[in-house]
Amino acid sequence: MRNKTVTAAIVQAEVASDAQGGLELTREKALEAAAAGAELIVFPETWIPGYPAWLDLCRDSALWDHGPVKKVFGRIAENSVSIPGPALDHLAATAREAGATLVLGLSERVEKGSGRGTLYNSLVTIGPDGRLLNHHRKLMPTYTERLIWGAGDVEGLRAVDTPAGRVSALVCWEHWMPLARQELHESGEDIHVAVWPTVHDLHQVASRQYALEGRCFVLASGALMRASALPPELEPHPERVAGPEQWVLRGGSAIIGPDGKYVVEPLYDEPGLVVAELDLRRASEESMTLDVTGHYHRPELFDFRALRTGRRPAGEGS
């Protein structure tokens, strides 16, 4: 696959207010990206139903048995996506209509069986034929996120073959987990999708580091959100939120080459498609100086493996 050129696009937009609106917006934006020639289309972290920025921007979000927060959490749970389920079917139909591979973040809800009701910060990769190619659950929710999401597993920690090349993905602060990065590098990736709520300065650093280390292209994807979209039940913290039109998630989506340099510079504070043609041969060229799974890897000195025990299917067990 590394002898081809691929057109990739990141959708940067304001998130919808609920799951149904998110599904409709996904279709609209995916078709727009496909019309621009995109074969791989990426959406940000928890694109459906939107990142819970209120965790860090509103008062009393961690108070025990706090009625307003419980209402907000209940709404997130209600609008989270079951896998499999009707929402995933809708996304599969969108991928087929666009004729492109989709990678998008969503809040996942376990519908039945062991773990029923648990939410996960998840990523899905869907092929242009509508097949679910990968399903990754964020290994460890970061800080305040633990109020919402459960700890994930390694079953989706892998690159997968797509018509656009071998594609891997991580969620947000997973990019600072060295062993998670190495597992994906060893699975063989041409393009890595790095999803974030918003790609601020340190997130740019992590995304560029990943590209340099993995000798792959990185699509760093961030969302847009105004303070007016924060939950009406909660009070914004005045030191963090100045007014309803303030961008609390600023986007910052960018495309980075396998040398760690920008192919497309970050886009902040406005919606848009971040599009580029990626010459996958560059990944092979850059591996001449650094290849952490090849000549710059010493497997006879370091032993590493992921402990894959298998994800229990929904409905199995008590």
Side-chain angles (χ1 to χ4, degrees):
M1 295 294 289
R2 286 191 167 186
N3 62 354
K4 65 177 292 186
T5 299
V6 173
T7 301
I10 303 169
V11 172
Q12 181 164 295
E14 293 185 63
V15 297
S17 60
D18 58 27
Q20 185 57 42
L23 291 170
E24 293 168 2
L25 185 60
T26 301
R27 177 181 179 274
E28 173 190 332
K29 294 299 181 181
L31 294 180
E32 181 182 336
E39 304 160 71
L40 173 64
I41 306 170
V42 171
F43 295 83
E45 178 176 358
T46 57
W47 167 250
I48 298 174
Y51 185 78
W54 54 269
L55 286 167
D56 300 314
L57 296 172
C58 294
R59 293 181 182 273
D60 303 330
S61 59
L63 285 182
W64 175 255
D65 202 29
H66 188 44
V69 169
K70 290 196 292 185
K71 286 185 179 179
V72 174
F73 176 80
R75 191 159 60 241
I76 292 173
E78 181 182 352
N79 285 277
S80 293
V81 173
S82 298
I83 301 174
L88 193 67
D89 293 342
H90 192 290
L91 294 171
T94 293
R96 287 193 295 269
E97 187 175 2
T101 298
L102 303 185
V103 182
L104 73 159
L106 45 82
S107 180
E108 177 194 353
R109 182 185 67 250
V110 177
E111 195 67 31
K112 59 183 180 179
S114 179
R116 178 178 181 269
T118 301
L119 305 183
Y120 292 100
N121 186 333
S122 296
L123 274 170
V124 292
T125 302
I126 303 171
D129 59 358
R131 284 194 306 124
L132 179 63
L133 301 178
N134 202 26
H135 169 203
H136 172 58
R137 291 171 172 169
K138 187 177 181 182
L139 296 170
M140 179 55 65
T142 304
Y143 198 50
T144 50
E145 291 177 357
R146 297 176 202 181
L147 291 168
I148 295 179
W149 292 305
D153 53 54
V154 299
E155 301 311 312
L157 197 65
R158 58 197 177 110
V160 293
D161 286 317
T162 79
R166 283 186 64 79
V167 175
S168 66
L170 287 175
V171 183
C172 198
W173 276 50
E174 289 183 313
H175 289 87
W176 280 291
M177 300 178 78
L179 299 185
R181 297 200 310 266
Q182 184 64 18
E183 177 67 10
L184 288 187
H185 297 334
E186 292 192 9
S187 71
E189 53 199 343
D190 301 316
I191 301 170
H192 176 75
V193 175
V195 299
W196 308 86
T198 184
V199 199
H200 61 53
D201 289 350
L202 278 179
H203 296 168
Q204 297 288 346
V205 169
S207 299
R208 294 181 67 183
Q209 153 65 18
Y210 193 101
L212 181 71
E213 178 181 274
R215 288 328 207 199
C216 58
F217 288 92
V218 169
L219 308 181
S221 175
L224 294 172
M225 180 180 174
R226 298 183 190 271
S228 58
L230 291 169
E233 295 90 344
L234 305 180
E235 179 187 354
H237 198 291
E239 293 183 3
R240 299 191 173 193
V241 179
E245 292 305 303
Q246 174 186 337
W247 290 114
V248 294
L249 298 179
R250 299 184 53 212
S253 300
I255 298 178
I256 304 156
D259 57 358
K261 297 177 182 178
Y262 287 114
V263 176
V264 181
E265 296 274 344
L267 176 67
Y268 286 106
D269 301 333
E270 60 178 292
L273 284 178
V274 177
V275 183
E277 287 192 2
L278 313 180
D279 184 350
L280 301 187
R281 289 173 296 190
R282 286 193 57 205
S284 295
E285 293 170 359
E286 294 298 335
S287 70
M288 180 179 182
T289 51
L290 176 66
D291 184 353
V292 297
T293 67
H295 66 80
Y296 229 85
H297 180 37
R298 296 291 303 277
E300 78 279 14
L301 301 180
F302 301 102
D303 183 20
F304 167 67
R305 63 189 176 94
L307 301 177
R308 298 183 185 274
T309 57
R311 180 181 296 156
R312 176 178 292 178
E316 180 182 294
S318 58

